[in-house]
Each structure stands twice: as C-alpha cells, then as structure tokens.
Amino acid sequence: MKRRDFLKSMTALAAGGAVSAPAVFSPARAQGRQETLLIVSESGPNNLDIHGIGTNVPGYEVSWNCYDRLISHEMKTLPNGTQYYDRDKFKLELADDMNIGDMSVTFKLKKNATFQDGKPVTAKDVKWSLDRAVTVGGFPTFQMGAGSLTKPEQFVVLDDNTIRVDFLTKDRLTIPDLAVIVPCVVNSELVKSKVTDKDPWGLEYTKLNTAGSGAYRVTTWNAGSEVILERFDNWKGGPLPKMRRIIWRMVPSAGNRRALLERGDADISYDLPNKDFVELRDAGKLNIVSTPYSNGIQYIGMNVKTPPFDNLKVRQAIAYAIPYQKIMDAALFGLAKPLYGAPADAKTEPVWPEAHKYNTDLAKAKQLLAEAGYPEGFETTLSFDLGFAGVNEPICVLTQESLAQIGIKTTINKIPGATWRTELNKKVMPLYTNVFSGWLDYPEYFFIWCYHGKNSIFNTMSYQSPEMDKLIDGAGAAASVGDKATYDKDVDGFVDLAFADIPRIPLYQPYVNVAMQKNISGYQYWFHRRLDYRALAKG
Amino acid sequence: MGSMLLKRVLAAIPSLIGVVIVTFLLTRALPGDPAAYFAGPAATKEAIEQIRATLGLDQPLIIQFFHYVVDLAHGDLGKSLTTGQPVAEEIRARLPASAELTLLGLIVSMAIAIPLGIMAATKPGSIIDHTCRIVTTAGVSLPVFFTGLILVYVFYYLLGWAPAPLGRLDVFYSAPPTVTGFYLIDSLIARDPETFVAALKQLILPALTLGIFSLAPIARMTRASMLSVLSSDFVRTARASGLAPYTVIVTYAFRNAMLPVITTLGMVFSFLLGANVLVEKVFAWPGIGSFAVEALIASDFAPVQGFVLTMAILYVALNLLIDVLYGLIDPRVRLEA
C-alpha cells in the first residue's frame, strides 16, 4: 500500500469513527495526544515560584520541572522496580563539575546551558538566585537555613563560569540542601528588569511566569483549573524529555479522577483516596505505584507539658491502647508501612523511620493507667486536621473507641485546614494526630525538628530532654566529620530514648500512591513526592 | 424611564455599602489565620509574622478597612492568595463560565418545567399532573452533587456518550478568543463550529444537573399561576366565545400567568449562580462558586469579599431587569410601584 493511500484510508477511518463515537480524536489531535501527558489532581499551584510568599506544594512541582539546580540526585531501583532518588549520589544538573573542599564547594557551570529566553546561564545568575533564596524570608529561607546556608556572603562568584559556596560550619546537610527544590537558578537579567521598589526580588513576575533554564516552561496557567507546560528543547540539564507537552488539570472530585483514569482519558493521578487505589490495583487495568514517604511518619502526639500527659506511664498506656492493626486495615486499606510491634528482641538500627515495640494490649494499658494514678481514666480531646480527613477521621474514631475501653473519654476536635497550623503552633492540644516528613532524609534532621529542646514548631509535644539534645547534637557533629561509630551510637540512642519516653507514638509511614495508564513509564519517587515530568514517557 | 432606572440604581447604593462593611467584618471574624496557612508547613513563628506583615494583616482593623475601601474605589478587589491572581481578573474570567452554565441550566429547566406546569394546570388531577408532582419532588430532593455524579457515572463512565468531566472544554481544544466569555457565543463569533460542538458537549451534563434541580419551583409556580388564571372570568368568556383551546391557553391565559413565573425565574437564576458550587466541583468547572468556596477554606479574604460584592451587584441588576420585564409584559405595572 502506498503511503498516500494509507493516510487517506486512515483519515477516512478516523472520520468514520468520529461519527459513530464522538469521543474519538481527529488525527491531528491524536498525534498531539501521543506527545502530551494529561495529569489530573485535586488542587493546583498558587504561585509558579517556590521563592514566592506562601507558595503551595503543587507550586513546588512547577518549580522542580521548570528550573534547574546546580546539582540533583541520581536514581536507584527499589526491589519492587520503582525508581527512587539516591540520597547519597549526586548528579550534576547545571554544574559541569563539583569540587568539595574542606570549608567550601566550588561549581563550574555547563558552558552551553541557556535560559529559556536564550541568555547563557552565568555564575552571576546562580549567585543572585541563591542570594534571593536566603533573603526573601519565609519557607525558602528556612529551608536554606536547614543546610547552614544563611548569608549572601557565602556565595562567591569566581568568574563568569565558576561559583564557590562557603560553609558556615561543617554541616553534612549543606550539599544535600543544594539539591532540594529551593536553590533553583533564576534568569537574573530577565527578573531584574521586572523589579520594583516594593518588590526587589521580582517575585510578582516569577509568580506568574517561569524564568528558568529548566526542561519545561509554563505557557498557560489558569489558576484553579489548569497548567500547561511545554518542553524547552534546548535544555542542557539532562537528556531531552520525551513528553512535548504536559497538561495538568485540576479535578476536585476524587470519583471523577478515578473515572477519568479508568476510562483512559487521564494519564496520571496521584491523590486518590486509599480505597480507590486498592481497588484500582486489584482491578489491574492501571499501574499503581506505592512508595513510603521518605523520612515521614503519621503519629499520635501528646503534649508533655500538661497533665495527664506529663506522666510517662500515661503516655505508655496510650501507646498500648492504640488500635494499630485496625488503623492499618480500616483507615489505610493496608497502603502504609507499619511502625509498631517490632519483636521484643529487635535491635535498634541507626535508621529512621523505625518500628517501635508497642502493640495493642489493653490489659497492660489499663494497668499502666492505674499505676499512673488514673484507675478510672480521664477526659481529654483528640484533634485532627480536616484537610486530611479521609485518613485522619477514621484514625481518630478508632483511637477514641479503643481509649474508651481503658476509661479515657475523648472528644474529637475537627480543625479546618486553614487553622490547623495555628493550633499546632500554640502547642496546647493535649492529644492529636499529625504527619511530619523531612525533605532531607537523615535521622538527625527529623529529630532536630521534632524532638530537640530548642522546641521548633514541629516539636508539637513541647518535649524537652537534655539527654535527647546531647544525642541529637552528637550525631550531627559525628556526621559532619564522618565518625560513623559515634554517629550510629548516637542515632540508636535518640531513637531508643524517643521510644522509651514516647512523647509521640509513630503509627505508620504513609505511602505516596500514583496511578497511571499501563503505557506510561518513567515514574520517579523524589523526596518532595511530586512528579518529575522529565523522565516520564508514553507508549 | 431613564430617570426611574437611575433612581433605582441610586437606591441600591446603601445596601452595597452595607455589604462591603459586613463582608469585611465577617471575613475577619473567620477562625483561620491566613498568615499561618500561607507560611507553609515548615514555617517558624518569625516566618509567619513576616508574612503577616507582607500581607498587611498586622495593622489595626480600621486601617485595613480603609486600605480596602481605597482599593475598591480604584476598582481593585485585592489579590487572591490561593490562586495568586487579582480577584477582579479571576471574577472576570470565572463569572462567564458560571453564567453560561447557569443560563443553559435554566433554559433546560424552563423547557421542561413550563410545558409540564401548563399541562398539569389544564388537567388537574390527571396523570400528567401527578407526573409533574413526582418529577418536581424528585428533582428538588436529589442533591445536585448526587445527580451530577450519577449522570457522570452513567453517561461518561458506563456508556461513554458524554465527554470527560474536565471543565469547559476537552483538553485538546483551545478556548475561542474571548469576546463575551461565553464559549458557545465566542466560538460562533470565531466561526469555529468544532469548538462550539465541543463546548456544548461539555455543557450538557452539568446543565442537565442544574436543570433537574431547579425544575420544581418553576413548574410548581407555572402550575399554580395557570390554575388561578384559567379559573378567571376572561378565560371563561374566551372559551364561551369558541376560541381554540390553544389560543385560550397560550395566548390569553399563559401571558397573564407569566408574571409570577418571571419573578421565580429571577430568583432561581440568582440562587443557582451562587449555589452551583457543587456542580462546579463535580464537573471541574472553573466557575465563581468553587472559587469562593476554596478561598473560604483557606481563609483567603479578598476573593470572598469580591465574590459577595459581585453577587450583591448581580442581585441588584437582576431585580431591576425583572422589574423592567414586568412593565413590558403587563403595562399596568409601573416601575414606581
């Protein structure tokens, strides 16, 4: 058959199809569809720049795909075949060379890398971007500080192509912190032309426009309904991505997101209720990938500053009264990694998250409660964030029911998402469930925020213990000089202490669940848990 | 007529000022703290205070109100924190989406409800009257999101007749150049029948959902109004004079029964415009209702204020329009009355 005839007959076929089934795409659109990825999710970005004020998590996804960093992470393959970022192996993105010295690290930039408007990426752009990250305030500055990157003076331009980052102290989190989303490189010439007196960093411009050297750029953004991204064909940060266009639509109804996937109209969705994921997985029509949050746990926290939870025996009683297995089955449909009921003789490992040895044992809980001086129990409130009611509500109801059996009467307090953080900040809720996860996957990173006596906002229990502080600081110091033996000893020490004092009761490690069509490949799990479009492919 | 209109518009100003003050105070009384919300999950106390200052929320309420009124006088409704866009622009982009859907829903509803009401009134107690009763009761008692989900499930998921519930257009179409903001009209202006058909396809299910929901008041009002007109003297005279039943019912009776129906239509329209939030959620419709609800959840003040203000202005305009329509239908009704 001749090519022309073939095309003609195909067109005729397609036209015929269009009459009988109106959903069929015309040939041009079908071609577009092959190179286009349709993502559906519940909510979209409120800002395209992670340096902006109050950028939400979907906004991080845009930043990740539209901007480059100096370095990024290599991938490794998990036993189940999932591509998972390798915490310890760095990959050069905008940098061509990374030279780590004693108190500084020097990067040479890729010579041919350009921004999406064609201007070359220079060391001046990198410095301006890093200066911006450490000075704009809010989340980006906070995240930079987590890696001891706090002052513009730390970023030194050596020549057009070379930049040095000086260390304030020896901190093993400094290099990993340069590979998170925040230290992205912005087109400084372009953004500087848009600054005003009130807005010296041009945040208003980058809120609505992407100005990076990354693999994609946003061409259309209708807040709350869709984001359309086009590939930047001259991208130098890695191999050219397969997908030419990404259409990201916000579909608020979870039922419809599922229907779109099952009908084959949407390619990927990643925020469906656990029940739907389990059903979709069992139906087998789609690829479902479940990966535990790195360095993240869902827990029940107790305020140790106020009675009755200032009493260790009461906290232990609660830890023995949580219906762990019921929570796993009824609230999560098994889609989580349990963090309870480790065997009594299990040795503590220098890793986190790790399972504790408490199990549901109501007789023991009752006895501990009596020893603590509350044989009749007491009354308290159990709070949760309504923003994640799908999981939080069943957890709280099951816990309430179980606590009632040892005489503790709880009133469930549902707090709307907008006020949840305000309430957490006050640190007055006696009993609550919450999730914490850190981008940087190191045990001491988790503990410094959640258990250290400097009482950061994530130490929601107001837990204070000089012994704990010593172990956490000790592990940090040991890590920075590479003293593995001391590090392991200190990590074991603080994990043991956290379980013995039990101010927060880990329940499980949540899963990131992604559902996609069978013809989609290249999904990668990242510490930020959002999608990386650059590796995704179709067909 | 012109000066009468002006008088009516002026009379609406005090109520609009009231709306501005009340919405300002109400949004401030919401329990949420926008600064804490937008500072993100990893914010320190200082970061939250920093954001509070940037948003101007650290200033006394009266100063904030003053700034708000000054901005308002310049036509600036403020900025939405959740979407990052100016509220005025958001409303301009989203109001046509909601209005197009609501209008079509209303047309669907009228097309079913008015004939049904007339037929029920001409033969009270008959099968058709009972059908009318059952349809309206069912329509009003099914929650919109339920009707919407059922329609999606049957016509999209099971049968595959309807397009994916992905908002105003399938993802592979681009919107017609904006003239009115109504895709159906804009695509016709752009002479793009393909986009017209695509937009219409997306509209059918949500419009049907809204139509089913708003059937009841219109059908019931038509029936009641027709019943009273049909029992009046002039209809009896018309019948006695041997006019055809069609002429009697449509030309004489229905025209006289229209006044209360128009009032109901106006109320149903403004009610639907605000209340179709759930339909918008189900069909991922980028409308004004879902925008306002999302803002409310995030204690994002500016869009909520802007939404309430827009709605208030719409109500005023709509009431005025209905009063003018009254005068056209029944010359005895004067605008002053």
Side-chain angles (χ1 to χ4, degrees), chain B residues 82-270:
Chain B
T82 23
T83 62
Q85 316 289 319
V87 172
E89 217 161 275
E90 284 278 354
I91 290 179
R92 205 172 305 136
R94 285 164 172 271
L95 193 58
S98 286
E100 185 173 35
L101 173 57
T102 312
L103 270 178
L104 205 68
L106 205 60
I107 290 171
V108 169
S109 180
M110 278 160 62
I112 303 172
I114 291 180
L116 204 59
I118 294 176
M119 284 191 281
T122 47
K123 293 191 182 110
S126 68
I127 296 247
I128 197 115
D129 193 16
H130 286 304
T131 314
C132 172
R133 199 163 291 139
I134 291 169
V135 167
T136 52
T137 313
V140 83
S141 50
L142 290 173
V144 269
F145 68 89
F146 179 74
T147 325
L149 283 176
I150 285 283
L151 289 179
V152 169
Y153 181 68
V154 173
F155 291 103
Y156 168 65
Y157 183 75
L158 289 182
L159 299 173
W161 294 352
L166 275 173
R168 301 182 77 183
L169 271 182
D170 184 274
V171 287
F172 295 97
Y173 285 89
S174 44
T178 307
V179 183
T180 59
F182 286 49
Y183 281 3
L184 290 184
I185 299 176
D186 287 356
S187 59
L188 285 184
I189 293 174
R191 287 167 204 278
D192 183 355
E194 207 181 347
T195 306
F196 177 84
V197 171
L200 186 64
K201 271 189 199 158
Q202 297 291 127
L203 269 165
I204 290 174
L205 286 193
L208 196 60
T209 312
L210 275 183
I212 291 174
F213 181 64
S214 55
L215 268 178
I218 302 173
R220 300 303 294 177
M221 194 47 94
T222 313
R223 180 180 176 274
S225 171
M226 279 299 281
L227 272 180
S228 72
V229 172
L230 284 174
S231 62
S232 61
D233 293 346
F234 75 91
V235 171
R236 199 179 50 198
T237 313
R239 284 208 171 120
S241 311
L243 289 180
Y246 179 85
T247 323
V248 174
I249 290 169
V250 176
T251 318
Y252 289 90
F254 182 60
R255 190 155 179 212
N256 282 287
M258 253 165 86
L259 276 194
V261 176
I262 293 284
T263 320
T264 317
L265 278 183
M267 294 205 355
V268 168
F269 180 75
S270 37

Side-chain angles (χ1 to χ4, degrees), chain A residues 22 29 33 46 53-54 137-138 142 204 207-208 221 223 249 251 256 260 262-263 265 418-419 421-422 425 457-458, chain B residues 31-32 37-38 41-43 48 50 54 79 81-83 85 94 156-157 160 164 166 169 172-173 194 282 297:
Chain A
R29 293 203 163 93
R33 201 176 163 82
N46 63 347
I53 299 164
F142 165 87
E204 286 301 316
K207 178 188 214 170
L208 304 175
W221 173 34
R249 280 272 178 126
V251 179
N256 281 353
L260 286 164
E262 287 198 73
R263 293 277 310 172
D265 284 328
T419 42
R421 275 175 212 136
T422 323
N425 257 338
I457 92 155
F458 304 119
Chain B
Y37 190 78
F38 289 101
I48 293 175
Q50 236 171 17
T54 325
K79 236 175 209 181
L81 297 171
T82 23
T83 62
Q85 316 289 319
R94 285 164 172 271
Y156 168 65
Y157 183 75
L166 275 173
L169 271 182
F172 295 97
Y173 285 89
E194 207 181 347
V282 170
I297 289 171

Side-chain angles (χ1 to χ4, degrees), chain A residues 318-384:
Chain A
I318 303 275
Y320 279 116
I322 305 276
Y324 299 102
Q325 194 56 44
K326 273 191 201 156
I327 288 175
M328 281 298 295
D329 297 340
L332 296 151
F333 299 90
L335 281 181
K337 189 172 166 192
L339 290 178
Y340 55 87
D345 55 350
K347 211 173 100 20
T348 309
E349 298 290 332
V351 293
W352 186 257
E354 184 166 359
H356 57 73
K357 290 173 184 169
Y358 296 90
N359 235 325
T360 318
D361 184 344
L362 292 179
K364 202 161 180 179
K366 221 170 166 125
Q367 186 200 335
L368 280 163
L369 212 54
E371 285 172 26
Y374 296 97
E376 303 302 317
F378 52 85
E379 285 190 25
T380 187
T381 56
L382 174 57
S383 313
F384 73 84

